[in-house]
Structure formats: C-alpha cells, structure tokens
Amino acid sequence: MDFHNTPEYKSLRSSVPLRKVVVEGNVEWSYYDAGPKTIHNPLVFLPPVSGTADIYFRQLLSLSATGCRAISVNHPVVWDVPSWCQSFHLFLNSLGIDRVHLFGASLGGFLAQKFAEFSGNGRRVRSLILCNAFNDTDVFDQTSACSSFWAVPAVVLKKLVMGTFETMNMDGSMVAAADFMVQKLDALSQQELASRLTLNCVSCYVEPQNVQVLSSDVTLMSVFDQHALSNSVQNEMSKLYPEAKKALLKTGGNFPYLSRSDEVNLYIQVHLQKYADTVYSATEPRQFLPPPSSPSTSSSKPSTSAAILTDSDSDSDNAVEPSAKTATPAAASVPERPVTSKQQSQVLLEQGLLEDSLPAEQELQMSPMHETAAAVTAAAAGADDL
C-alpha cells in the first residue's frame, strides 16, 4: 500500500490547502487547517522528527467530518525548546486561537508538554493526547552530539533517524506507514532535520509541577508491539500523569496514527467528548432538531433528540438541567373540523384551507345562531332537571 495514492491522502491535498504564516523572528509555520474556522479551541497535531504536517491526513479528514477543527503543523527551523514554545505561542495568536487541545507523537508529544509548561497560569493548553511520547530527552543518549547537528550532512542525519524504524514482525499497514514516513523524511531539508534532531536530543526534561494541565485531561496513547521507545519510558509517563486515561493499542508500531488510524481516531473522539458543548469544545455545538410531527404520534411523548441530549451531557461539567421555562410546549391537537364563523370560513376558503363546498350539516354546525340555540336548549334542560 502506498499512502500517497490513497483516496484519503489525495482528498486532503486537493481540498485543504497548505497555508503559511511568518511570525516574529522571521519564523515560518506551515499548516493544514481542516474543519469550521469558527472554533477557537481546535485540536492541533504536532509531528515527530521525521514527519510533516500531512502525516495526519487520516485524522484531519475524519475529525473535520464530525465538525471538529483540526490543525496539523510543520515544525519551523528553531534550535532550542524555549524558542519553539515562544514561536508556537505567536503562531496561535496569528490564527486567533484561544486555547488548544494538543496531539503530539514522539518529539511532538514532548514539545506539547513543554508548551503546556511554558503557558503557565495562562492555561492555554486545555488537554493533551501524547502518542509514544517521552518526558526527558536523555533517553536518546545524544545530548553531547546534538550541538553539532547543524553541520552534519543531511544523509547522515537521515540514517540516524531511520535507525529507529523497525520493520520486523509488522503487517502490511505498518510497513506501508514506515515507508510513507521515510518518504517524508527524505523531503526534509538539512536545516529542518538538524533543528528537529537538536530539539529531540538537547538536554531538556518536563517539569511536572509546572505543567498547567490536570492529569485527568491527559490521554497517554501507546502500543504493545515494537517501537522506538522502551517500556521504561512509558512507565515514566504514567508516573508523571497518574490520573491520565490510557489508550492502548495491541499493535501499531511507531506510527499508529497511520497504521491503526481507525482506533486512534476513536480514542481522539473519546478524549474530546469530555469538552463537547462547553467553552473548550473543539467541535461545533450539537444541534438537535425535533422529529417531524405525525398525526399518529402523541404530542406529549418526549422526543428522541431530547433524550439523547440529557444522557450524553449528564457527566458534563456544564450540563444544564431542563426547566419549565425552556421546555418546548407540546403541540396542541388539531380537531378534524374547526368550528368557525362564516367570516372565518370565508378567510380559510380564500387561503385554500377549507373545501369550497361543505355538507349542509357542517355549515349548520358553523353557524353562530345554531350554536346559541343549542346553548339555550341545554340551559333549559338543566333548569327542568332542577
């Protein structure tokens, strides 16, 4: 399978443009922005060292189809973590984004945590989804060499990255994902790759006491099969976020968002469901339309959409209890033949709501004189009974 030739990838490249914006310091960010632009709390994807913004094409298409705003970025050429965080802050400002939900894979997951730490009390990061991520760059044991990456030829740097790609005991989808990532790696310039490897290996670690994101707002996504990070790294991440939700995949390799995209997309939707219909939602507000009225349906029966709204929002922090003031009144039952005066009948005839000719007994029922006579007769009968 070649991901470049899949209908999904072609759809992304043909329907979602690759945009660019330059922020202070002449730093250029390129990105794909899919979904409604009215959302100011989108889900932002951060790629690993070898990836570009389009590696998340399956997530962008799937999530935007559900009304979610999903943005995938390319890392700019910056050489230290604080500069990356400051530049990303300016990038979000340029798009008018208030808060973000971050999905980061490997290096992207590390930078997502550092940006949550950088944001401080501003709480600009609302939640984190960390896929095969790490919290300390010392795990790569390249701290001493990273200062010279800027001068290393691109072919040497690419071999250094490709050494982490495993192809043993993998199914066809996982092998195709690795091949796709190799092609993306080849497309990177020497400066792009060198800066990413520097961010990945420079001595730096996450300070959990400064990460202004609750553990309950974190999802740790990992796989059980072979991947670049060891099990000890996953255990450290679990200790760092003790209340985080676990999204475990039996297989998937280094790039489960490509090889197991359906499972990953489902985990993402479950993660974002907590913020649905709140000010932090990454999706458009859900609109529940009443079912079409039917003569055989009782007007007092509650609608299915109202029941769904109550069930799905029962666990939400901002759930609103229904009240009598906001409840929709039941539709009044319509009589088969409305009893009207002759003038009202004439108006209805002109509007086409009544037939031109009615039986004599029905015209008699609509006469005010007969109504009055019937009322007098009933009153007289009541007096005789007394």
Side-chain angles (χ1 to χ4, degrees):
M1 180 195 308
D2 184 2
F3 284 115
H4 284 98
N5 294 325
T6 59
E8 293 170 299
Y9 185 78
K10 292 180 179 179
S11 176
L12 174 76
R13 297 303 300 267
S14 62
S15 61
V16 183
L18 178 64
R19 304 177 183 273
K20 296 182 180 180
V21 61
V22 179
V23 300
E24 184 179 345
N26 199 30
V27 178
E28 181 181 276
W29 288 83
S30 56
Y31 63 99
Y32 292 99
D33 190 349
K37 306 303 181 288
T38 55
I39 302 298
H40 298 289
N41 307 280
L43 174 63
V44 180
F45 290 86
L46 305 177
V49 169
S50 57
T52 52
D54 55 353
I55 65 171
Y56 294 114
F57 67 94
R58 287 183 162 174
Q59 285 69 47
L60 295 180
L61 292 178
S62 175
L63 295 173
S64 61
T66 65
C68 174
R69 184 181 183 184
I71 300 174
S72 182
V73 304
N74 278 320
H75 296 298
V77 178
V78 293
W79 300 94
D80 59 82
V81 174
S83 297
W84 185 94
C85 293
Q86 177 63 27
S87 181
F88 187 59
H89 172 77
L90 297 175
F91 166 72
L92 296 179
N93 288 347
S94 68
L95 298 185
I97 294 174
D98 300 328
R99 292 179 175 84
V100 291
H101 305 270
L102 294 179
F103 180 106
S106 191
L107 172 63
F110 175 72
L111 293 176
Q113 297 171 82
K114 293 301 293 182
F115 184 71
E117 180 184 313
F118 169 85
S119 299
N121 294 330
R123 294 292 301 274
R124 193 159 199 183
V125 179
R126 189 62 187 87
S127 70
L128 295 170
I129 306 176
L130 307 175
C131 177
N132 289 342
F134 56 91
N135 66 320
D136 194 334
T137 58
D138 286 344
V139 299
F140 299 104
D141 197 23
Q142 293 286 341
T143 303
S144 59
C146 69
S147 59
S148 60
F149 283 160
W150 64 272
V152 177
V155 62
V156 177
L157 295 177
K158 291 176 182 178
K159 287 183 179 179
L160 181 63
V161 176
M162 291 177 61
T164 63
F165 290 5
E166 294 286 346
T167 57
M168 298 294 293
N169 301 323
M170 292 187 177
D171 59 23
S173 181
M174 295 165 63
V175 172
D179 291 341
F180 182 75
M181 295 299 291
V182 169
Q183 296 178 54
K184 295 303 171 185
L185 178 64
D186 289 338
L188 296 177
S189 67
Q190 192 277 342
Q191 289 290 290
E192 289 174 323
L193 185 54
S195 64
R196 294 182 183 199
L197 281 172
T198 301
L199 294 176
N200 196 79
C201 299
V202 67
S203 181
C204 189
Y205 60 91
V206 176
E207 301 176 18
Q209 70 277 10
N210 294 327
V211 177
Q212 299 298 319
V213 177
L214 299 177
S215 293
S216 57
D217 292 320
V218 177
T219 293
L220 299 178
M221 186 176 298
S222 57
V223 298
F224 286 127
D225 59 355
Q226 292 181 348
H227 55 94
L229 299 177
S230 63
N231 292 332
S232 61
V233 176
Q234 296 182 8
N235 294 335
E236 287 297 322
M237 293 293 293
S238 298
K239 293 177 182 178
L240 192 64
Y241 305 103
E243 299 179 6
K245 295 179 285 293
K246 303 294 193 303
L248 305 177
L249 292 85
K250 185 176 180 180
T251 59
N254 289 318
F255 318 110
Y257 38 87
L258 287 169
S259 59
R260 302 292 184 268
S261 59
D262 290 341
E263 296 177 57
V264 171
N265 293 346
L266 180 60
Y267 278 129
I268 293 174
Q269 291 178 348
V270 170
H271 175 90
L272 295 177
Q273 181 64 31
K274 175 181 179 180
Y275 313 98
D277 299 327
T278 71
V279 295
Y280 306 113
S281 177
T283 60
E284 286 186 322
R286 291 172 293 180
Q287 297 180 357
F288 297 93
L289 299 177
S293 59
S294 173
S296 61
T297 303
S298 174
S299 61
S300 61
K301 182 178 179 180
S303 66
T304 305
S305 60
I308 294 175
L309 178 61
T310 303
D311 293 341
S312 63
D313 291 348
S314 59
D315 296 332
S316 175
D317 295 336
N318 296 338
V320 179
E321 294 294 335
S323 63
K325 294 182 179 180
T326 60
T328 303
S333 59
V334 180
E336 296 181 358
R337 286 291 183 182
V339 179
T340 64
S341 65
K342 290 185 177 180
Q343 294 179 348
Q344 292 172 329
S345 301
Q346 182 63 29
V347 173
L348 294 176
L349 284 170
E350 293 176 356
Q351 296 178 351
L353 299 179
L354 288 180
E355 298 178 359
D356 292 339
S357 60
L358 295 175
E361 63 270 20
Q362 292 185 4
E363 290 184 353
L364 185 62
Q365 291 176 0
M366 290 187 288
S367 172
M369 295 179 60
H370 287 80
E371 293 177 3
T372 304
V376 173
T377 303
D384 291 341
D385 292 339
L386 293 176

